[in-house]
Amino acid sequence: MVGTSKPAPLNHVPRSMTSSPLRVSSPRHGCPVTVVTAVQSGAAPLSPEVTQTGGGAGMKLLTHNLLCSNVRGLRPGGGFPLRIQASDVSVRPVPFNAAFVARLVPRLRWGALLEAAESLGHPSELPPEPAPDYEGDEAFLRRVHHVLLEVEVLEGFLQCPDSGRQFPISRGIPNMLLSEEEA
Amino acid sequence: MAEAASHAGSPDPGAGLAGDGAELAAVIGATVPTGFELMAAEEVQEKLGSASRISRDRGKIYFEVPAQALPQVHRLRSVDNLFVVVQEFKDYQFKETKEDALKDLEDLVKKLPWTDPLKVWELNNSLKKKKTKRKKHNLQSTVRKEKLNSNGEEKEADQKDIKREEDCAQDTAGVEPADGQDTEKTTEVASQNEEEEEEGNNEQSDAKDDLQAGDGTETKASDSRTSNGEAKMLKFRVTCNRAGDKHSFTSNEAARDFGGAVQEHFQWKADMTNFDVEVLLNIHNNEVVVGIALTEESLHRRNITHFGPTTLRSTLAYGMLRLCDPQPTDIIIDPMCGTGAIPIEGATEWPSCYHIAGDNNPQAVKRAANNICSLLKKNENKESASPGIPLDIIQWDICNLPLRTGSVDIIVSDMPFGKRIGSKKKNWDLYPACLMEMGRICTPGTGRAVLLTQDKKCFAKALSRLGHIWRRAQTVWVNVGGLHAAVYLLRRTWERAEEKRLFW
């Protein structure tokens, strides 16, 4: 039931990264824009002492819905939502809990969720807005559940829509640390 | 001088343990992180339906349950160690001289009601045997029901019972030994007697240090009966904790003499390391409790297989989480998660909440990920991969969190102490920045934070400047690895955070 693409080895450069050019936004109101290449995007070098074991979980879209860019000097609303460029996505089942999902719906940034699901190749068949009676619609809730909790991003990048800054996701863990200069 | 004890060996095997088990009641003593006695009592009430007494000897609670409830007792998340009470003396009058006082303790042995507690001990052993077998077959043992009813449909979350003494030691795949500074790691020493009593000296008998985990002792215990149920020779030891400044004897002396009398009475063999029965003699001023241990190694490391230098024990993590009263669908963040003790405890015990763990340190992040991995592996069975856990990890900077303003309900964290990580000087700048950023991401009005710190002065100062964002609701004084620390429950005010980044 778990569909995983081949786990990316440590120094694998995701295809999406090399093929698409980095989006560079022009400076706005004197805000410094940092153009960062994939390699230098703030990923801390893996220290020899601790190896991360494989088989772990990846970033879920519920988390993505809460994340925003922390780059300095963005224009209002410019840091959300982060664009996902994923090279390794897996699906891991999670027991369905209708009440749980129903309570989450009003807190979600709905548009961002739809966009994220689409970008991962999991078009969610979700409506542009939740219907007024969504709480009782189990089929709807199950689709939301799937997209929020069962799709995991293992490898890829999160990109700040305003600055273009790329944050790598490695083994399911996004690295949102800024460098000294950026911070 | 004692006559051939009528209690030679174990209790009468023909007593029909199965029949007795139904009515057999046990008074259980549990050690809990000091300061969280009330939390623990709440958990006991909730899960076992029993009321607890909180002892004046801090860090202990007592409650009565039917012996058949032992499996549930073992699944309590707020307790470090368990024992069955043989007898309690609320106001024991010690004789003046050492010789007399010790003789009294010796004489006490044959007067104590050992029978039922020993039955409970046996029952407990058979439980442990079952657990070992189950673990070997890697089956899922407990099915826990979600508290949240979803449209009348009960959701069942299959979860492995990860609360096992042997887990901590046996899952050695990636265990990194905590370095010497982590005094929490020495199990019994830490869990039974961390407090520096104000009243006076506080000792323990030694020879507890080399207590090995699980295996050896377990097989011993299960072999304690031959095939036809005849009692075999049991091995035992006495562990004495003594606190108070009016006693004329040391814990070593008490353990030794009491042990001598136990040996005479039961004809058991004394063995400091490979024992079946651990008799506990707890003396706290005039409160004396005699018990028999039901746990061999503290449960507090149960979730963590990959330690870091300051890994928080799970029981403390549980207490902190309980303190913020998580509600279903609450979003819970630990922005300085270290090896992930708190979020992992959170995701396990409050699976209807959503948990995010973060840290700036790459080692910590990796260790946390590995710990989650271990959890996932435990939940695996042959048919399918393990279900997902509502927990994500992110590498981030606490002072500049990549989270939307007001998007989080609860923040629970173990803040850098300044002694093991960072320094006091750094805390001076770090704490205000942390509290501000935590205030920003936290939901106004309903949000709350539970923060553990040893640097209370620095914390109080930082908090005093942020009264418009946080107000102090409760403080719990705790002991962490010998350091006096505090757990602060803060409530987020209704005031909107000063937007560092404009709200969108």
Side-chain angles (χ1 to χ4, degrees):
Chain A
M1 261 206 287
V2 172
T4 334
S5 29
K6 209 160 33 112
L10 223 54
N11 38 20
H12 169 74
V13 178
R15 257 178 291 123
S16 61
M17 194 46 227
T18 50
S19 54
S20 61
L22 272 174
R23 188 169 81 88
V24 182
S25 40
S26 43
R28 252 173 274 279
H29 306 119
C31 81
V33 172
T34 319
V35 177
V36 184
T37 63
V39 175
Q40 290 164 11
S41 54
L46 287 177
S47 123
E49 294 120 307
V50 186
T51 346
Q52 193 178 329
T53 52
M59 182 196 75
K60 301 174 205 23
L61 291 187
L62 175 49
T63 301
H64 169 263
N65 207 258
L66 303 167
L67 286 177
C68 62
S69 169
N70 52 3
V71 171
R72 291 202 181 286
L74 302 175
R75 38 172 194 168
F80 180 87
L82 295 162
R83 306 247 164 81
I84 311 180
Q85 296 150 359
S87 57
D88 191 358
V89 178
S90 79
V91 174
R92 188 191 290 267
V94 172
F96 173 65
N97 182 327
F100 177 73
V101 181
R103 274 193 221 183
L104 273 177
V105 167
R107 310 182 64 169
L108 300 170
R109 290 303 161 87
W110 193 253
L113 179 64
L114 291 188
E115 204 180 293
E118 296 279 337
S119 72
L120 292 185
H122 280 258
S124 46
E125 298 156 351
L126 290 172
E129 287 294 332
D133 61 346
Y134 70 86
E135 285 183 76
D137 186 348
E138 186 181 308
F140 166 79
L141 292 174
R142 280 189 180 269
R143 273 181 243 124
V144 178
H145 163 85
H146 174 73
V147 159
L148 272 185
L149 300 172
E150 296 187 327
V151 179
E152 298 180 351
V153 181
L154 293 169
E155 302 286 330
F157 288 87
L158 295 170
Q159 184 176 41
C160 170
D162 203 31
S163 69
R165 212 288 195 185
Q166 301 253 350
F167 299 96
I169 303 174
S170 168
R171 293 187 169 187
I173 302 176
N175 184 345
M176 313 290 297
L177 284 177
L178 298 175
S179 67
E180 292 274 319
E181 307 86 59
E182 291 172 299
Chain B
M1 116 202 173
E3 306 165 31
S6 54
H7 274 286
S10 294
D12 181 7
L17 194 63
D20 268 2
E23 300 125 15
L24 184 63
V27 176
I28 304 287
T31 54
V32 306
T34 316
F36 283 95
E37 293 88 348
L38 282 171
M39 289 278 132
E42 268 179 40
E43 192 195 7
V44 170
Q45 180 68 58
E46 199 177 277
K47 295 184 179 168
L48 297 168
S50 302
S52 305
R53 274 178 296 117
I54 296 170
S55 153
R56 276 182 299 160
D57 183 4
R58 284 180 289 167
K60 289 194 180 65
I61 64 169
Y62 297 93
F63 52 92
E64 188 167 322
V65 287
Q68 58 191 0
L70 272 180
Q72 288 97 291
V73 175
H74 278 284
R75 287 197 285 272
L76 292 168
R77 311 296 291 197
S78 49
V79 309
D80 287 315
N81 278 307
L82 294 166
F83 56 93
V84 53
V85 174
V86 176
Q87 190 157 1
E88 284 178 76
F89 300 89
K90 297 274 166 58
D91 195 17
Y92 192 95
Q93 296 305 317
F94 287 101
K95 299 258 162 61
E96 286 236 14
T97 68
K98 185 200 299 203
E99 290 70 30
D100 288 346
L102 290 174
K103 178 76 172 52
D104 253 4
L105 286 176
E106 285 182 41
D107 290 344
L108 190 57
V109 173
K110 55 182 178 288
K111 301 183 208 160
L112 294 170
W114 294 98
T115 318
D116 277 0
L118 280 169
K119 284 187 193 152
V120 173
W121 168 82
E122 278 199 70
L123 191 57
N124 190 65
N125 277 348
S126 62
L127 282 181
K128 285 196 289 196
K129 238 196 315 179
K130 280 190 210 145
K131 274 194 205 170
T132 321
K133 281 205 188 119
R134 263 189 275 156
K135 185 179 160 98
K136 282 182 186 146
H137 292 136
N138 197 26
L139 289 174
Q140 298 216 345
S141 62
T142 355
V143 173
R144 242 193 298 149
K145 290 195 176 163
E146 287 283 90
K147 291 172 197 159
L148 195 60
N149 252 352
S150 49
N151 297 334
E153 154 197 18
E154 290 270 20
K155 179 194 145 190
E156 295 200 341
D158 272 349
Q159 283 219 4
K160 190 99 176 161
D161 181 351
I162 56 175
K163 216 169 124 77
R164 294 184 188 177
E165 300 98 319
E166 56 265 39
D167 280 356
C168 313
Q170 287 179 5
D171 199 343
T172 52
V175 168
E176 293 144 38
D179 47 67
Q181 299 159 9
D182 186 8
T183 55
E184 274 299 307
K185 184 101 163 87
T186 46
T187 53
E188 284 69 33
V189 180
S191 65
Q192 291 196 15
N193 234 331
E194 298 148 351
E195 283 294 321
E196 283 250 322
E197 296 287 346
E198 252 81 67
E199 304 104 310
N201 42 340
N202 187 350
E203 310 178 281
Q204 290 178 336
S205 62
D206 39 63
K208 294 165 77 180
D209 316 304
D210 27 280
L211 180 59
Q212 299 301 315
D215 273 347
T217 20
E218 254 164 42
T219 29
K220 279 269 144 51
S222 60
D223 286 342
S224 69
R225 293 194 164 278
T226 57
S227 47
N228 62 358
E230 277 296 324
K232 245 167 118 171
M233 173 66 70
L234 284 182
K235 297 188 190 167
F236 82 101
R237 82 169 203 187
V238 173
T239 305
C240 177
N241 290 320
R242 190 200 63 78
D245 54 1
K246 297 212 174 69
H247 303 130
S248 54
F249 53 87
T250 66
S251 64
N252 275 347
E253 290 164 339
R256 177 199 65 206
D257 287 2
F258 196 79
V262 167
Q263 197 201 4
E264 284 253 28
H265 185 70
F266 290 107
Q267 296 298 301
W268 292 340
K269 185 164 181 266
D271 191 327
M272 277 312 201
T273 49
N274 286 328
F275 48 88
D276 305 303
V277 184
E278 183 180 14
V279 175
L280 304 169
L281 178 60
N282 291 334
I283 303 174
H284 184 259
N285 292 320
N286 285 76
E287 193 182 273
V288 175
V289 179
V290 180
I292 301 175
L294 298 175
T295 52
E296 283 155 8
E297 179 177 308
S298 190
L299 301 163
H300 65 221
R301 290 258 185 261
R302 60 189 169 234
N303 289 342
I304 304 293
T305 49
H306 299 263
F307 293 102
T310 59
T311 296
L312 189 72
R313 54 183 172 153
S314 306
T315 45
L316 198 44
Y318 176 83
M320 287 173 67
L321 282 159
R322 239 196 121 94
L323 196 54
C324 51
D325 191 24
Q327 297 302 305
T329 72
D330 272 349
I331 295 176
I332 307 180
I333 311 285
D334 182 355
M336 292 175 277
C337 68
T339 51
I342 296 174
I344 288 174
E345 184 69 23
T348 311
E349 193 64 10
W350 285 272
S352 57
C353 296
Y354 191 74
H355 308 261
I356 302 183
D359 204 287
N360 65 348
N361 183 319
Q363 313 269 57
V365 165
K366 263 173 263 162
R367 284 195 183 107
N370 288 342
N371 283 325
I372 292 175
C373 215
S374 305
L375 242 192
L376 287 170
K377 287 204 181 105
K378 278 182 199 164
N379 289 344
E380 253 171 19
N381 58 26
K382 289 181 194 143
E383 290 107 63
S384 57
S386 49
I389 296 173
L391 169 57
D392 270 355
I393 308 181
I394 303 179
Q395 192 171 355
W396 63 32
D397 174 6
I398 174 76
C399 299
N400 190 13
L401 292 170
L403 290 166
R404 288 194 276 118
T405 298
S407 59
V408 154
D409 298 291
I410 295 174
I411 298 163
V412 194
S413 203
D414 173 3
M415 301 185 72
F417 276 1
K419 282 209 166 161
R420 279 184 259 179
I421 297 238
S423 67
K424 288 257 161 115
K425 210 164 161 195
K426 283 192 202 147
N427 285 354
W428 213 244
D429 298 318
L430 187 65
Y431 278 23
C434 275
L435 282 168
M436 279 240 294
E437 189 65 344
M438 291 194 275
R440 183 186 67 79
I441 62 167
C442 197
T443 315
T446 56
R448 52 254 190 239
V450 171
L451 304 169
L452 167 66
T453 179
Q454 195 240 343
D455 202 344
K456 302 173 282 264
K457 197 162 146 193
C458 191
F459 188 85
K461 176 153 187 202
L463 202 56
S464 66
R465 290 203 228 116
L466 291 168
H468 59 294
I469 300 281
W470 292 111
R471 61 177 174 82
R472 224 157 107 166
Q474 196 181 332
T475 309
V476 182
W477 305 102
V478 297
N479 186 301
V480 183
L483 304 171
H484 285 178
V487 172
Y488 297 95
L489 169 63
L490 306 176
R491 294 207 185 277
R492 182 67 175 78
T493 63
W494 284 99
E495 180 164 326
R496 279 269 177 98
E498 200 180 285
E499 306 282 354
K500 231 171 63 176
R501 304 194 277 282
L502 292 180
F503 185 65
W504 48 76

